[in-house]
Amino acid sequence: MIKPFLEALSGHIQTPPPVWFMRQAGRYLPEYRDVRTRAGGFLDLCYSPQLASEVTLQPIRRFGFDAAILFADILIVPHALGQRVWFTEGEGPKLEPIRDRAGLTQLAISRLGPAVAPILETVTRARQQLPARCALIGFAGAPWTVATYVVEGGSSRSFETLRRLTYQDPSFVDGLFEILIEASVEYLSAQIGAGAEAIQLFDTWAGVLPAADLERWCITPTRRIVEQLRRRHPGVPIIGFPRGIGPSLVCYVERTGVAAVSIDSGMPIEWVAREIQPLATVQGNLDPILLQVGGPRMIDEVRRIVDVLGRGPFVFNLGHGILPTTPPEHVAQVLETLRM
Ligand code: CP3
């Protein structure tokens, strides 16, 4: 069975374009809120193969997306390595911050395998239950983005602590990155072994790096993960999402070797079609706020994106994750428009 999403990632133009949405499983769906209540905490949900695979499949059943994304979180990696991580209702993630070399001893690669075993079982279960034309995406956070949470101790506005440490104690940051790179390769490789057919690396906070430091803290670590995964799993495509890096995207694609890039809503799509699409498959970039608002403006924007990017290898997606306040009908309307 041909999977249009995987075809597009291999560089073949698909009409209509395959589609999935970042954060397509989540609080905007009543059936998610149901399961979430039954699970107790968010991490309990992530570590329950039965419930997490159910939640992975919910948006596929409801909307018929071309790809499902494993239900888990980028903070599973530091949690599985031994850092204290917890989610408080309405406040987002919290971590006991690690800010020096001594703190790194809390993170043990040997813990990773046993800790992520339930997540790998989620991958296997979800893959078994997917419709034949739907592909399964595994994922991890890129080292820079995961490091912002590890060091800042949660969501940050300024990223000041980590940014300062890249100048004042780069050997600590290097040490942290070595651990995160090794853990990401092992974790993603295990996801592929369990049934993931493509991988997305979320570098949500790449855009806070000065352009001159992007190579060191975003591009090089990503390239190392891509190279090691490609050696172990040559056929499995990797999608990068270096959010907010603007024209540095050209360097990112050329130097990391990703098969595809996810484009945030800030990128002009004509520029993307000209500069990026000849190098990699492009995924994006409907504004999540416009998806929440809906109406004719949303439909026009969907058509404009497909007009500009649909002539090359393309996967329709959002520029960032679905907002919890999004009416599910708007998602259905976007898919109808694409498949009309
Ligand atoms: O459907 C999917 O996309 C699959 C699952 C998924 C989640 N998080 C579930 C989740 C994925 C791929 C992620 C990635 C993730 N997690 C990122 C990168 C992508 C992005 O959105 O930028 C980041 C930065 C995180 C860290 C994280 N997890 C934050 C900042 C938060 C709190 C904000 C929020 O939306 O609540 C989370 C929690 C989280 N991860 C939820 C979900 C469904 C909500 C938790 C809940 O149900 O209570």
Side-chain angles (χ1 to χ4, degrees), residues 27 29-42 44-45 51 55 58 89:
R27 285 164 296 186
L29 290 177
E31 59 269 37
Y32 170 84
R33 295 196 298 267
D34 244 40
V35 176
R36 173 78 168 74
T37 311
R38 266 195 281 148
F42 173 68
D44 298 316
L45 175 53
L51 299 180
V55 161
Q58 284 174 346
E89 218 53 62

Side-chain angles (χ1 to χ4, degrees), residues 22-151:
M22 289 188 264
R23 291 286 184 96
Q24 64 190 17
R27 285 164 296 186
Y28 77 109
L29 290 177
E31 59 269 37
Y32 170 84
R33 295 196 298 267
D34 244 40
V35 176
R36 173 78 168 74
T37 311
R38 266 195 281 148
F42 173 68
L43 283 175
D44 298 316
L45 175 53
C46 291
Y47 286 112
S48 159
Q50 206 249 318
L51 299 180
S53 58
E54 167 61 21
V55 161
T56 302
L57 294 163
Q58 284 174 346
I60 309 307
R61 291 199 198 104
R62 190 192 260 257
F63 303 113
F65 284 115
D66 294 286
I69 182 160
L70 162 68
F71 189 86
D73 198 84
I74 64 164
L75 301 179
I76 290 294
V77 165
H79 184 257
L81 290 171
Q83 189 171 13
R84 254 197 85 215
V85 177
W86 67 102
F87 286 79
T88 45
E89 218 53 62
E91 278 185 71
K94 297 270 186 283
L95 302 85
E96 208 161 82
I98 294 175
R99 295 181 173 166
D100 53 31
R101 281 240 160 220
L104 289 180
T105 58
Q106 291 172 49
L107 305 178
I109 285 280
S110 61
R111 285 207 202 96
L112 183 77
V116 302
I119 299 201
L120 304 177
E121 195 186 325
T122 303
V123 171
T124 303
R125 285 190 188 215
R127 176 73 191 276
Q128 279 164 354
Q129 295 175 65
L130 276 184
R133 47 168 283 118
C134 183
L136 183 61
I137 306 169
F139 74 92
W144 172 258
T145 289
V146 175
T148 66
Y149 292 94
V150 168
V151 169

